[in-house]
Amino acid sequence: MARLTAAVAVTVGAIAATTAAPASAAPSAVNTRACPSQYFCAYHTSGDNYPCKWKDDAPNWDNCSWVQDGKFTYAVYNNGTSGRGVTMYRYHNYSSPIGACVKRGQVVYLANNYSPGSSKWNC
């Protein structure tokens, strides 16, 4: 009986080891609780507890300190309550849209090699 129990434990361990996803397979979750209701938030890192946030359209993301410092955006989160989505733009003043509409309640992980220049509640 002890041999059977050991064999089952080894088999279960081997199955668990082969089905576990590697740590790099998915981005680390952002702290969505740090984004107030009605806001669109941008995070510099996964552990960012102080995201940049905009309640209205943002024609210029340079008011975000780490964007102003040339750091990149890790992820964005739409915590709006209107049901509208947000379009991000490569440049200031809503020029050159990037990506798809960020729907209400959605977290989107960016390539982490740029930061959008503006965003608008328009989709």
Side-chain angles (χ1 to χ4, degrees):
M1 184 66 162
R3 220 181 270 176
L4 176 60
T5 302
V8 169
V10 169
T11 303
V12 169
I15 291 170
T18 59
T19 59
S24 62
S28 297
V30 294
N31 182 4
T32 56
R33 292 183 309 267
C35 184
S37 178
Q38 301 180 352
Y39 282 81
F40 181 70
C41 294
Y43 299 82
H44 173 55
T45 63
S46 63
D48 191 350
N49 288 316
Y50 303 98
C52 292
K53 53 190 176 280
W54 300 274
K55 190 173 185 177
D56 299 311
D57 294 345
N60 184 341
W61 275 30
D62 284 349
N63 65 345
C64 176
S65 63
W66 47 263
V67 170
Q68 207 172 55
D69 291 342
K71 295 177 181 168
F72 302 132
T73 301
Y74 174 75
V76 294
Y77 172 54
N78 179 350
N79 199 21
T81 56
S82 70
R84 291 172 48 203
V86 175
T87 300
M88 293 180 290
Y89 298 86
R90 173 70 73 187
Y91 305 109
H92 298 157
N93 299 313
Y94 320 115
S95 175
S96 190
I98 51 176
C101 180
V102 182
K103 303 291 185 191
R104 179 178 175 220
Q106 184 178 25
V107 174
V108 174
Y109 295 94
L110 305 181
N112 204 22
N113 61 2
Y114 71 96
S115 281
S118 57
S119 57
K120 190 175 233 183
W121 298 84
N122 64 354
C123 54

